[in-house]
Amino acid sequence: MQPITNRFPINEGLKNRHVDLAVIIPTRNRSSIIKKNLTHNLNTICSSSKKFNKSVRVIVVDDCSEDKTPDILCELTKTQSNLEIIFLDSNKGPGIARNIGASGVSADWLWFLDDDDTLDPLALAKLMPALNIDCDVLAHSLSENLQPTDDGFNANALANEVIMFREKQEVFNYVFRNKFYQNNSIYFSSGLHEDIRVVFECLTKCDKLFILN
């Protein structure tokens, strides 16, 4: 079943625009927080991306909300030029919503956020210039102060820490080079904790990992 993209108007001009970073956010029934959180994150992302001359596209996938979330999202597209909304015609879960959001997107990097994440402007000021680094996976805000060597930190070692619950498992903490992500046919599964498998798979398949403190 294909997602509905004409239930409400979206920014059609974004569809074929290549960007440095695509931010994918699934959401469902979040009318109480979505406007405040998304506005804050969009403003933070836009400010930082302009400062470091990076282009960003934010794709919110509404997972068949039954409250006012779709109306709020459509209102935001009127003032947020880099925001695209995809509306799904049935509830598929956050993993599948992420897959749909990332499918076919033209971007150098993919970053998957949750709809209740709140971005820190100081952290974004470190993340944006790091998008110039030659690597497959960019890890940030980890529990331990891991320092990569000149040859890069061993990704398998970090994967082992993740799978043993000794390091951050949330997909938020990892930014993926889109070419690497698509070439390895990586995708989220349905159900709970779907991001742990994606993080583990990316770490075990990547050739170059960089850890950003």
Side-chain angles (χ1 to χ4, degrees):
M1 189 175 293
Q2 295 298 314
I4 294 176
T5 57
N6 58 358
R7 181 173 164 190
F8 290 95
I10 62 173
N11 292 322
E12 295 288 341
L14 288 173
K15 284 188 173 182
N16 298 315
R17 185 191 306 170
H18 184 84
V19 292
D20 296 304
L21 174 66
V23 181
I24 316 295
I25 307 174
T27 191
R28 187 172 193 267
N29 295 339
R30 288 291 207 167
S31 60
S32 62
I33 67 166
I34 194 65
K35 183 175 182 179
K36 180 180 179 180
N37 277 32
L38 191 54
T39 299
H40 168 81
N41 287 343
L42 282 164
N43 291 340
T44 302
I45 289 170
C46 287
S47 176
S48 185
S49 62
K50 288 179 180 177
K51 180 178 180 180
F52 295 97
N53 195 29
K54 297 295 181 183
S55 54
V56 179
R57 172 180 172 187
V58 178
I59 303 171
V60 177
V61 184
D62 180 81
D63 196 14
C64 200
S65 289
E66 298 172 336
D67 62 0
K68 295 294 184 181
T69 299
D71 303 273
I72 295 170
L73 292 174
C74 285
E75 282 298 312
L76 286 173
T77 64
K78 296 177 182 179
T79 57
Q80 301 287 347
S81 61
N82 65 340
L83 174 63
E84 177 184 347
I85 312 296
I86 297 174
F87 295 97
L88 304 186
D89 58 1
S90 63
N91 176 227
K92 303 180 186 301
I96 306 305
R98 288 187 176 106
N99 292 339
I100 292 171
S103 177
V105 66
S106 182
D108 292 334
W109 293 91
L110 297 176
W111 192 16
F112 297 96
L113 305 186
D114 289 330
D115 56 9
D116 57 354
D117 288 330
T118 302
L119 300 180
D120 184 342
L122 295 177
L124 262 292
K126 294 183 178 180
L127 180 63
M128 286 297 172
L131 299 179
N132 293 326
I133 296 171
D134 179 22
C135 63
D136 298 321
V137 178
L138 179 63
H140 66 91
S141 311
L142 299 181
S143 299
E144 299 295 331
N145 186 27
L146 302 174
Q147 297 287 345
T149 66
D150 292 339
D151 297 326
F153 188 84
N154 188 312
N156 285 317
L158 179 56
N160 184 63
E161 294 298 295
V162 167
I163 206 66
M164 295 302 293
F165 295 87
R166 291 193 292 255
E167 192 46 89
K168 293 287 185 67
Q169 300 173 314
E170 294 83 0
V171 73
F172 162 81
N173 295 97
Y174 303 87
V175 186
F176 308 113
R177 189 172 292 280
N178 192 22
K179 184 178 180 180
F180 156 79
Y181 189 87
Q182 302 296 343
N183 286 348
N184 284 278
S185 300
I186 296 167
Y187 60 89
F188 291 86
S189 57
S190 59
L192 299 175
H193 309 298
E194 77 290 343
D195 54 345
I196 298 176
R197 185 190 60 79
V198 165
V199 169
F200 181 78
E201 185 176 359
C202 285
L203 290 174
T204 54
K205 289 184 176 180
C206 77
D207 291 325
K208 295 181 180 180
L209 165 72
F210 186 84
I211 299 173
L212 180 66
N213 293 325

